[in-house]
Amino acid sequence: QVQLEESGGGLVQAGGSLRLSCAGSGRPFSSYIMGWFRQAPGKEREFVGAIHWSGSSTEYADSVKGRFTISRDNVKGFHYLQMNSLKPEDTAVYYCAAAGGRWRQKWDPRDFAYWGQGTQVTVSS
């Protein structure tokens, strides 16, 4: 069992930056692939990005490539989502998630067994 908790959400103007953090506890954090998803009102939960347990590989949704960066600190049990050049369409509840298994290039929410409670990100125009 892994417990996850996000922090760092808030209100920011378009073009600004935010860094989300996800604290993991329970089973060894370093053995999991970590991901970020987001869900806007009336929309399905969508993949934002993921990072390999070793930190050696990352994958991003096309909509955030070049603007968002995922990193992790396995010693501290955290992983992060650095969001730059934010746009109003980035407004959503952001969730961190943990997955076991093999690394892949495409991710679905069903691939992730553990989820945080979410943190709201609002980007004003």
Side-chain angles (χ1 to χ4, degrees):
Q1 190 80 6
V2 175
Q3 292 80 43
L4 302 172
E5 183 173 3
E6 305 93 341
S7 60
L11 174 64
V12 64
Q13 287 189 328
S17 298
L18 279 176
R19 189 175 84 152
L20 305 184
S21 299
C22 178
S25 61
R27 294 184 65 182
F29 177 82
S30 59
S31 63
Y32 289 91
I33 294 164
M34 303 302 298
W36 288 96
F37 288 77
R38 65 187 182 186
Q39 189 166 18
K43 295 189 176 181
E44 293 187 351
R45 191 168 297 190
E46 65 171 354
F47 172 73
V48 174
I51 186 166
H52 189 269
W53 61 265
S54 69
S56 60
S57 297
T58 53
E59 284 291 333
Y60 296 96
D62 289 343
S63 59
V64 306
K65 277 182 183 176
R67 300 189 298 124
F68 290 11
T69 303
I70 296 176
S71 60
R72 67 190 296 163
D73 185 333
N74 286 339
V75 173
K76 295 182 179 179
F78 277 83
H79 87 284
Y80 306 98
L81 180 65
Q82 177 66 44
M83 304 185 293
N84 298 328
S85 303
L86 282 161
K87 305 174 182 180
E89 51 264 43
D90 294 318
T91 295
V93 177
Y94 283 70
Y95 298 89
C96 69
R102 302 173 69 176
W103 182 251
R104 61 194 74 183
Q105 274 63 56
K106 288 188 180 292
W107 296 94
D108 184 271
R110 293 169 293 181
D111 298 322
F112 291 80
Y114 304 104
W115 292 84
Q117 81 288 349
T119 186
Q120 176 70 45
V121 171
T122 303
V123 184
S124 62
S125 57

